[in-house]
Amino acid sequence: MSYTPPSWYPPGQPPARGPRSRRDRGLTALAVGLALLVVAVAGAGWYGYGAERARPATARETAAPPSGTPSAPPGLRTSEPVPAPGTRELAAARRPGEAAAWIASDSTDLPRRSIPVDGPWIVGDTVVQALYREVTAYRLSDGAEVWNLTLPTPVCEAPENPTPDGRIVLVLATSGSQRGARCDRFQMIDLRTGRTGWKKELLRDPARDTPAVIVHTAISGDTLAVAEGLGATAFRVSDGARLFTVPTENPGRCHPDRVAGGSRLLVSATCALGVDRGKSHSQLRELDPRTGAVRWRHRTPAGRKIERVASVDPVVYTSIDNDRLTEDWRIVALGPRGEVRRTIDPRPKGFEHCAHAGIDADLQPCPGVVVGQGLVHVGGTDRVGAYDLATGKLLWGVQAHDGRTLTPVGSRSASGTVVYESATPSRPGRTFVLGSGGAGEEEVLMRHPQAAAEAEYSTMAGRVLHVGGRILAMPTVVSGDDARRQPRLVSFAPARG
């Protein structure tokens, strides 16, 4: 792969490309798996990708938890960690200089449709994901399954962040049916152990007969915020108690619609509903997660709406035009009181909104946009760049000439951006660092193994995280077609020795 410095950007003329939305790519991924080229490895009785995993015969006996702690449901499996299929074969096939890898495959019997993957959540030395009716924790070091929890009904929605002590609240459907199922059941889970805590139905407005179908949730501290319909309510994660209701505000009748969490609790609202789209706008509020008190308010210009939050500290979000949608998008950074600090237009350089993640979904995350070290890094189908939040200027931009997706995943220092380069069906990806000058200042951190290339490619780089020097790549959706199985997660770490 070669790179071109910022001059490659023809202003207003991003290079033509075919339809490659991340969602579409996830739904149309080929039936690819772990094609380990290790047939010559003597005595290798290996699990092929997607093969049925051996299950422990009995769950480990556990003592009754103290009063007030989550209980262990019948669907929780907490035996000794189950090794990730193919781990030994991947190690045997690894070539000199390649990264170490493990792959979490999935043997869940899924409906024949596209199933969203929720998470991941990093808790201690594990990474946790939710898929359909299962929540699974994998050990970061080697991918071994630490625990697995079977849920009574499918997952509808999950927050981006757990509480600081590793608890989360999932929203479950009332039934397993694809049609007509409401999303109105809360289930608290301790992600450290897989044990479940309180559960309750989402409280609906008795004046309305419409069931909760689309729900948005976020966690900040010990507070769970839930937006449903044109209202939002906050609950305490530890016991499920109702804390406060987020009010509709006038003038403009700003109806709460989505929430974002983490170190801050943000609530977005749509204002001036029912009027001309050119006059409606969005509002963003920061709330005290304990009391619901408003710390500041921010509103967009008329005709624009808040679409995704890329960071809550500092607050950085994307806005789109009400009519032109992502054809007219911006990155907006706010100051400590909700004032506009900087507005950036990434379109002349060919960057795409949140890596084609779609619109009108959850407020978090915004894939392909990473904020840190005073910069906002933007990725895309074949390019990555960095803007200075203080000035709004593009500092550098590089392009991959073979069509690979470049995803910024973090900052190693004030002058180093960690970038993930996606795999192709036959070539593995890699992880590298770009310095403040962009092109010409590249340092390769990991060359991903050839033996895992097909499995890596099948994730379509839907979500990519950089955790403790390790890369975690996963799909945002998986296919329920048994002939098109995809891995849940592919992990890469620098090889030792």
Side-chain angles (χ1 to χ4, degrees), residues 2 51 78 123 125 192 216 241 257 277 345 383 414 426 431 482:
S2 60
T78 58
V123 182
D125 62 351
R192 299 166 298 181
H216 303 283
D257 52 16
R277 291 175 60 85
D345 184 358
R383 61 198 62 201
S426 60
T431 305
D482 290 343

Side-chain angles (χ1 to χ4, degrees), residues 101-418:
W102 56 260
I103 297 172
S105 62
D106 174 48
S107 59
T108 303
D109 186 15
L110 300 173
R112 292 179 63 87
R113 61 177 187 266
S114 297
I115 308 296
V117 181
D118 289 298
W121 304 287
I122 308 301
V123 182
D125 62 351
T126 64
V127 53
V128 186
Q129 285 181 313
L131 174 64
Y132 190 49
R133 291 180 53 198
E134 289 194 355
V135 186
T136 309
Y138 302 99
R139 196 160 56 195
L140 279 168
S141 59
D142 57 8
E145 183 182 295
V146 179
W147 56 260
N148 175 279
L149 174 66
T150 300
L151 302 168
T153 55
V155 177
C156 288
E157 160 69 11
E160 176 73 4
N161 307 286
T163 63
D165 61 357
R167 288 172 296 171
I168 204 160
V169 180
L170 303 181
V171 183
L172 307 182
T174 54
S175 69
S177 173
Q178 182 178 8
R179 297 180 179 179
R182 299 191 305 272
C183 298
D184 59 2
R185 295 183 178 181
F186 290 165
Q187 176 65 74
M188 191 268 275
I189 299 173
D190 188 334
L191 297 179
R192 299 166 298 181
T193 63
R195 295 175 180 270
T196 57
W198 57 265
K199 58 183 177 181
K200 64 171 58 178
E201 290 190 0
L202 176 65
L203 298 178
R204 299 193 301 274
D205 185 347
R208 294 190 295 119
D209 295 328
T210 305
V213 175
I214 300 177
V215 178
H216 303 283
T217 61
I219 287 177
S220 180
D222 192 35
T223 297
L224 168 73
V226 181
E228 181 263 317
L230 296 176
T233 307
F235 302 85
R236 195 160 47 225
V237 174
S238 54
D239 58 10
R242 186 186 184 108
L243 293 177
F244 55 85
T245 298
V246 180
T248 296
E249 292 192 337
N250 287 313
R253 291 193 169 274
C254 295
H255 299 273
D257 52 16
R258 292 181 297 166
V259 288
S263 59
R264 289 176 169 173
L265 177 59
L266 305 179
V267 177
S268 69
T270 300
C271 305
L273 278 171
V275 302
D276 183 87
R277 291 175 60 85
K279 297 180 180 179
S280 64
H281 62 276
S282 289
Q283 180 197 67
L284 192 67
R285 284 175 279 177
E286 181 187 358
L287 305 184
D288 184 319
R290 296 167 298 179
T291 66
V294 178
R295 291 176 173 168
W296 50 257
R297 294 174 178 84
H298 164 81
R299 62 164 289 175
T300 66
R304 300 196 67 84
K305 64 173 289 189
I306 294 168
E307 185 53 39
R308 297 283 184 118
V309 169
S311 168
V312 298
D313 190 14
V315 175
V316 178
Y317 71 84
T318 67
S319 76
I320 63 175
D321 183 83
N322 286 342
D323 292 317
R324 300 183 63 200
L325 304 179
T326 56
E327 292 182 6
D328 184 0
W329 74 286
R330 304 287 191 277
I331 296 173
V332 181
L334 302 184
R337 294 175 298 279
E339 72 279 11
V340 175
R341 175 188 176 195
R342 187 65 54 193
T343 299
I344 298 170
D345 184 358
R347 296 174 303 157
K349 306 307 181 184
F351 292 115
E352 298 132 346
H353 178 262
C354 294
H356 289 305
I359 62 173
D360 296 328
D362 291 333
L363 204 54
Q364 294 172 301
C366 178
V369 178
V370 176
V371 179
Q373 304 292 339
L375 306 177
V376 54
H377 307 85
V378 187
T381 300
D382 61 354
R383 61 198 62 201
V384 65
Y387 291 87
D388 189 330
L389 282 177
T391 65
K393 294 182 178 180
L394 178 72
L395 299 181
W396 54 262
V398 299
Q399 181 180 21
H401 293 292
D402 55 3
R404 297 194 189 206
T405 297
L406 299 179
T407 304
V409 292
S411 301
R412 191 174 67 170
S413 64
S415 60
T417 301
V418 182

